[in-house]
Amino acid sequence: MILLVGGEKGGSGKSCLAQNIAVYLTLNRETVLMVDCDPQRTTSDWIQARNSNPTLPTINCVQLYGKIRNDLLSLENHYDYVIVDCGGQDNLALRAAMSVADHTLIPLRPKRRDLKTVPHMEDILTTCKMVNPKLNAAFVITQCPSLPNQASRILEAKEVCRSYGIPVLDAITHSRNIYDDSEENGESVIEIDQHGKAATEIMNITDELLNMDFEYSHEFK
């Protein structure tokens, strides 16, 4: 299965999500390969730090750019999950990955500048589904404020996504220092605190995405 974590907006936590999902699946005895398509090498650097720590389960990673469709199809045959981390821009690698992915997860913060990318992402998804009808795509709202009086921002962000006929996960992530702390050490939030709130967020996102009923995903405009 190919799982793409990507989108047009930078800074929404794509690499962080991809890394933590990869660890969660690895801890569940799935074979996982990470594909880093971001020139910033965020995931590649995280993998390098991780694999230098003998106490952590090793995760393989390759770097691919541009026309990666055939590479992904070939790699898919050797792993349970190929998790693709694309940078925050509309580029050839993003569209190539969407053309073969089973699932695409698009992180967005509940901010106006992030939500402005939804119409363009809907256009990209519609185009890619013509080539890849099995593509299941969903938004996830990330880095949410924890204050109760900010809850309306999260609900409004979800409603914007749904207004374009694209599913949005119930599960979200909140702004937590543990996400940054774990990434610096090549770890996941699950490995730092298996029963913590951040770990629960990652597990909920992964489980919901992989078990989601995408019966209305065909309603892309």
Side-chain angles (χ1 to χ4, degrees):
M1 180 178 292
I2 298 174
L3 194 164
L4 165 66
V5 183
E8 187 181 3
K9 191 70 185 73
S12 58
K14 288 179 288 296
S15 295
C16 179
L17 267 181
Q19 294 158 12
N20 279 281
I21 290 172
V23 172
Y24 178 43
L25 293 172
T26 299
L27 295 176
N28 279 281
R29 301 184 183 278
E30 306 284 1
T31 58
V32 175
L33 173 71
M34 298 203 72
V35 177
D36 189 355
C37 301
D38 188 349
Q40 295 184 20
R41 292 177 43 92
T42 303
T43 286
S44 297
D45 291 344
W46 175 81
I47 286 286
Q48 185 174 5
R50 177 181 185 84
N51 291 347
S52 65
N53 186 340
T55 67
L56 299 176
T58 299
I59 298 177
N60 293 326
C61 179
V62 296
Q63 292 176 279
L64 296 174
Y65 306 104
K67 299 177 181 180
I68 64 174
R69 174 187 169 92
N70 291 335
D71 294 305
L72 294 179
L73 289 173
S74 175
L75 292 168
E76 183 183 22
N77 297 325
H78 302 286
Y79 296 87
D80 295 322
Y81 289 91
V82 174
I83 300 179
V84 185
D85 173 21
C86 276
Q89 56 183 315
D90 176 10
N91 57 24
L92 185 56
L94 176 65
R95 292 182 182 244
M98 280 188 182
S99 74
V100 295
D102 297 281
H103 294 284
T104 293
L105 185 62
I106 307 166
L108 290 175
R109 294 167 296 186
K111 298 182 178 182
R112 184 170 299 178
R113 60 179 177 270
D114 282 35
L115 298 175
K116 283 183 177 180
T117 67
V118 173
H120 189 216
M121 287 307 306
E122 189 266 341
D123 288 341
I124 297 173
L125 290 169
T126 300
T127 301
C128 290
K129 279 184 71 69
M130 293 178 184
V131 179
N132 180 19
K134 68 181 175 65
L135 173 64
N136 294 319
F139 287 105
V140 60
I141 308 302
T142 59
Q143 302 176 25
C144 296
S146 298
L147 295 175
N149 63 359
Q150 297 294 309
S152 61
R153 292 178 58 189
I154 302 169
L155 296 175
E156 290 169 3
K158 289 184 175 183
E159 190 54 39
V160 169
C161 297
R162 293 192 183 104
S163 71
Y164 285 86
I166 303 173
V168 57
L169 301 188
D170 291 328
I172 62 175
T173 69
H174 288 87
S175 295
R176 305 184 192 279
N177 291 334
I178 190 173
Y179 284 111
D180 292 332
D181 295 342
S182 62
E183 187 171 9
E184 290 178 2
N185 299 318
E187 297 176 285
S188 75
V189 295
I190 299 172
E191 291 163 321
I192 291 182
D193 185 359
Q194 181 180 357
H195 303 291
K197 293 180 179 179
T200 300
E201 290 173 351
I202 293 299
M203 291 186 279
N204 286 344
I205 286 172
T206 308
D207 292 342
E208 184 179 356
L209 178 69
L210 298 182
N211 295 287
M212 195 171 183
D213 182 0
F214 286 88
E215 62 180 353
Y216 63 100
S217 63
H218 66 280
E219 296 180 3
F220 291 157
K221 299 176 182 178

